[in-house]
C-alpha cells in the first residue's frame, strides 16, 4: 500500500517567516503534485514534479522532487497571510492517471 | 469556462438511508474521479471513470457505487449510510494522460446523523 507521510501536520507562523513542508514515501512515484485547499473549496493544483531532482518555482514557492522520486518538499519564502490554507501532496504511480495517493495535509496559518 | 460542478453542496441524511451525489466535469474532460475527504485528512480515492467504464476503484465497501453518463457527468451512490460516511465528497475531472492535473469541484458536504 502506497502511503505519503506529510509533515508537519500544523504550522502557525508570522508573516515574513520561511517554512518547509515535507512529503515522504517508501514508494516511487511517477509524479508528485502539490495542491492547496481553502475551507469550503476543492484542492487547487499548484505544481506537478516529474523528474527526480526536479526543482520548480512559483513566485515565493519552491518545490523539489527527490532524486529517487520518493519524497518532495515545498518551501515558502517570506510567507504572507494569503498563503494560509491546507497544503496537500499527492503521488501518482505509473498508469494510474486520476488515481492519486494524498498525504494528510499541512494546515498552514500565517499571522499578520 | 465553467469548472467542475457538484451538487448538492450540502446534504444531511440519517443512518441507513441512500444518497446520490452528482458531478459535471470540465468540458472536454472524459475522466472523472471521486474522492472522500474526512475532516482533518487528505482526500482518499474512491472511483475513477473514463468513457463510461470504471477504470479504478479504491478500498471502499460495495455500498459505494458510481457511474458515468454519455455526457461524461457522473453520479456517486452510497447505500446504507453509516455515521463514518460523513465527509466531503470531491469530484475531479481530467484528460486521461500522463501527469494530467486533476481539476476538483468544491465538493458535497455529507453529514450522516
Amino acid at each position: 500500500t502506497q502511503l505519503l507521510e506529510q509533515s508537519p501536520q500544523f504550522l502557525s507562523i508570522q508573516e515574513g517567516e520561511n517554512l518547509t513542508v515535507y512529503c515522504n514515501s517508501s514508494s516511487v512515484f511517477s509524479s508528485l503534485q502539490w495542491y492547496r485547499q481553502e475551507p469550503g473549496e476543492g484542492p487547487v493544483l499548484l505544481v506537478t514534479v516529474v523528474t527526480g531532482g526536479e526543482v520548480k518555482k512559483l513566485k515565493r514557492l519552491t518545490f523539489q522532487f527527490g532524486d529517487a522520486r520518493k519524497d518532495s518538499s515545498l518551501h515558502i519564502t517570506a510567507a504572507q497571510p494569503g498563503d494560509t490554507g491546507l497544503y496537500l501532496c499527492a503521488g501518482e504511480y505509473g498508469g494510474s492517471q486520476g488515481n492519486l495517493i494524498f498525504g494528510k495535509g499541512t494546515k498552514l496559518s500565517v499571522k499578520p | 469556462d465553467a469548472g467542475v460542478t457538484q451538487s448538492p453542496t450540502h446534504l444531511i441524511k440519517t443512518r441507513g438511508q441512500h444518497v446520490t451525489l452528482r458531478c459535471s466535469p470540465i468540458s472536454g474532460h472524459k475522466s472523472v474521479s471521486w474522492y472522500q475527504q474526512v475532516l482533518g485528512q487528505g482526500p482518499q480515492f474512491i472511483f475513477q471513470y473514463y468513457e463510461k467504464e470504471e477504470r479504478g476503484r479504491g478500498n471502499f465497501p460495495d455500498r459505494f457505487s458510481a457511474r458515468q453518463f454519455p455526457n461524461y457527468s457522473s453520479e456517486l451512490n452510497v447505500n446504507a449510510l453509516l455515521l463514518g460516511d460523513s465527509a466531503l465528497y470531491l469530484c475531479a475531472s481530467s484528460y486521461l494522460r500522463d501527469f494530467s492535473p486533476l481539476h476538483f469541484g468544491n465538493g458535497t458536504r455529507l453529514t450522516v446523523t
Side-chain angles (χ1 to χ4, degrees), chain A residues 9 30-31 33 35 37 40-45 48 50 86 88 92 95-105, chain B residues 31 33 35 37 40-45 48 55 88 90 94-107:
Chain A
Q9 193 174 354
S30 58
S31 74
Q33 302 175 11
Y35 290 81
Q37 185 176 22
E41 298 183 6
V44 175
L45 181 72
T48 300
V50 175
L86 179 69
L88 294 158
E92 177 182 38
S96 68
Q97 302 97 332
N99 172 359
L100 296 178
I101 307 294
F102 278 86
K104 289 186 177 181
Chain B
S31 173
S33 299
Y35 287 80
Q37 187 174 24
Q41 303 286 321
Q44 187 174 358
F45 173 73
Q48 184 192 20
R55 194 171 180 276
L88 180 67
L90 294 162
S94 69
Y95 298 109
L96 194 74
R97 54 177 182 241
D98 284 347
F99 320 130
S100 182
L102 296 185
H103 297 263
F104 285 87
N106 287 333

Side-chain angles (χ1 to χ4, degrees), chain A residues 1-5 23-29 32 69-72:
Chain A
T1 304
Q2 290 88 355
L3 284 174
L4 270 176
E5 300 289 337
C23 184
N24 295 292
S25 174
S26 58
S27 301
V28 175
F29 289 101
L32 203 133
R69 289 186 288 129
K70 292 182 178 181
D71 56 273
S72 182

Side-chain angles (χ1 to χ4, degrees), chain B residues 56-78:
Chain B
R57 183 184 186 117
N59 188 23
F60 279 81
D62 291 344
R63 299 185 295 107
F64 288 76
S65 63
R67 55 180 176 166
Q68 187 177 34
F69 299 98
N71 66 353
Y72 305 112
S73 67
S74 179
E75 282 182 356
L76 175 69
N77 295 284
V78 187

Side-chain angles (χ1 to χ4, degrees), chain A residues 37-106:
Chain A
Q37 185 176 22
E38 303 205 34
E41 298 183 6
V44 175
L45 181 72
L46 296 172
V47 79
T48 300
V49 285
V50 175
T51 307
E54 182 176 5
V55 177
K56 281 192 174 179
K57 292 192 175 183
L58 186 67
K59 296 182 181 178
R60 293 176 294 99
L61 278 60
T62 302
F63 304 85
Q64 186 162 9
F65 203 11
D67 290 341
R69 289 186 288 129
K70 292 182 178 181
D71 56 273
S72 182
S73 63
L74 156 61
H75 182 78
I76 301 180
T77 304
Q80 298 177 1
D83 295 328
T84 293
L86 179 69
Y87 289 83
L88 294 158
C89 64
E92 177 182 38
Y93 52 98
S96 68
Q97 302 97 332
N99 172 359
L100 296 178
I101 307 294
F102 278 86
K104 289 186 177 181
T106 294

